Amino acid sequence: MAACAFVRCAVVGHVEWTEFALVDHVPAPGNIAHAYDDWAEPAGGGSVVAVQIRKLAGTCDFITALGDDELGHTCAERLAEMGLSLTVEWFGRTRRAITLIDEYRERTITTFGPKLRPNASYDFSGYDLVFFIAGEPSVLRAARAATFLAATTREVPTLREGGVHLDLLVGSGRDPGERYDGDLDAGVVVATDGIDGGVANGSRYAAVPAPGPVADTYGAGDSFAAALAYGLARGDDLDSALALAARAGAGVVTGKGPYTSQIWA
């Protein structure tokens, strides 16, 4: 593992104002579920990755887009309180989501409105790590100026259009929406498989047990991806970076929501 050193990091991605509910079950069509706890906060892949990287690197710039509305400004305030340095493009309407967490602590997500994608001009030449979660192809091309560029398989169409080399491509091997057929220029490709670990560049790696009772699984994959990208960007070998990532993914599931149990450096 590399010695600890300052890594200048940025995340480009989306935010969803998310209402969470712990329910006795996810209802079948025509049925009713009963929530016994609920809360709301800014979430989505962009913010979860950015906050986890900030906890590991000490600082993280987060480039996002929000509606110039009450929810958008609330999201910005909350994310700033979590230590992110924000650059916000204000347009459209802030995306919302409802997340139901069932008796097995699995999450089911419904989103409302389109994903707002950053589309302005940025200079990433001074960054050691940029993690591209969501944005327009022009922003992806600009992000290639960073020393290390990571991306998620959720955005394969944008990655194809952007046409740049990716140092890391990571996503769920279980989610059909993150299916990847191997047609991108990527140095390290990782497909996660929950408690069964996953596959990195064709070889299986193991998960690690959660350090406590599982509260909910929201944010586990994004926290894993964030820690993996950070580890590789600071110079860890792949096995060491995967170990850090596995610890991050296991840690987050023991807390309420995606942020309370993310790991720190």
Side-chain angles (χ1 to χ4, degrees), residues 163-260:
V164 299
H165 171 72
L166 304 171
D167 297 289
L168 171 65
L169 180 64
V170 57
S172 171
R174 295 182 173 184
D175 186 343
E178 299 187 35
R179 183 172 296 168
Y180 171 59
D181 296 326
D183 59 340
L184 295 172
D185 177 10
V188 176
V189 178
V190 176
T192 63
D193 194 17
I195 61 172
D196 295 320
V199 177
N201 279 358
S203 298
R204 291 209 64 87
Y205 65 87
V208 300
V214 176
D216 80 73
T217 59
Y218 187 99
D222 289 321
S223 296
F224 173 98
L228 178 62
Y230 173 74
L232 292 172
R234 74 177 179 181
D236 291 5
D237 59 58
L238 181 56
D239 286 343
S240 297
L242 286 167
L244 177 68
R247 187 163 63 88
V252 76
V253 304
T254 64
K256 179 179 176 180
Y259 307 115
T260 58

Side-chain angles (χ1 to χ4, degrees), residues 28-255:
N31 288 355
I32 297 173
H34 299 282
Y36 55 91
D37 192 11
D38 66 276
W39 68 96
E41 60 190 347
S47 56
V48 176
V49 168
V51 173
Q52 178 61 90
I53 288 177
R54 202 280 297 179
K55 290 176 178 177
L56 293 171
T59 184
C60 182
D61 296 336
F62 184 32
I63 296 167
T64 191
L66 292 165
D68 191 5
D69 48 35
E70 183 178 357
L71 285 182
H73 287 279
T74 300
C75 285
E77 292 169 5
R78 296 277 189 92
L79 292 169
E81 290 170 358
M82 285 188 270
L84 297 178
S85 177
L86 290 169
T87 297
V88 180
E89 298 178 30
W90 300 99
F91 63 85
R93 184 178 179 181
T94 300
R95 196 185 203 202
R96 297 181 297 118
I98 292 176
T99 297
L100 302 181
I101 302 162
D102 68 13
E103 68 270 36
Y104 304 107
R105 299 304 185 253
E106 287 294 340
R107 86 291 185 273
T108 303
I109 304 170
T110 302
T111 61
F112 301 84
K115 187 182 291 185
L116 299 185
R117 302 171 184 275
N119 58 30
S121 177
Y122 299 99
D123 180 7
F124 293 101
S125 57
Y127 286 90
D128 302 299
L129 165 64
V130 173
F131 204 132
F132 184 88
I133 303 295
E136 295 299 329
S138 60
V139 182
L140 173 65
R141 295 186 193 105
R144 184 55 278 179
T147 303
F148 191 97
L149 177 60
T152 170
T153 53
R154 293 176 194 155
E155 292 293 313
V156 166
T158 301
L159 302 179
R160 289 189 183 120
E161 186 174 347
V164 299
H165 171 72
L166 304 171
D167 297 289
L168 171 65
L169 180 64
V170 57
S172 171
R174 295 182 173 184
D175 186 343
E178 299 187 35
R179 183 172 296 168
Y180 171 59
D181 296 326
D183 59 340
L184 295 172
D185 177 10
V188 176
V189 178
V190 176
T192 63
D193 194 17
I195 61 172
D196 295 320
V199 177
N201 279 358
S203 298
R204 291 209 64 87
Y205 65 87
V208 300
V214 176
D216 80 73
T217 59
Y218 187 99
D222 289 321
S223 296
F224 173 98
L228 178 62
Y230 173 74
L232 292 172
R234 74 177 179 181
D236 291 5
D237 59 58
L238 181 56
D239 286 343
S240 297
L242 286 167
L244 177 68
R247 187 163 63 88
V252 76
V253 304
T254 64

Side-chain angles (χ1 to χ4, degrees), residues 7-40:
V7 180
R8 188 182 180 199
C9 304
V11 173
V12 180
H14 66 292
V15 177
E16 298 155 356
W17 179 258
T18 304
E19 296 181 40
F20 294 86
L22 297 179
V23 295
D24 50 8
H25 68 285
V26 174
N31 288 355
I32 297 173
H34 299 282
Y36 55 91
D37 192 11
D38 66 276
W39 68 96

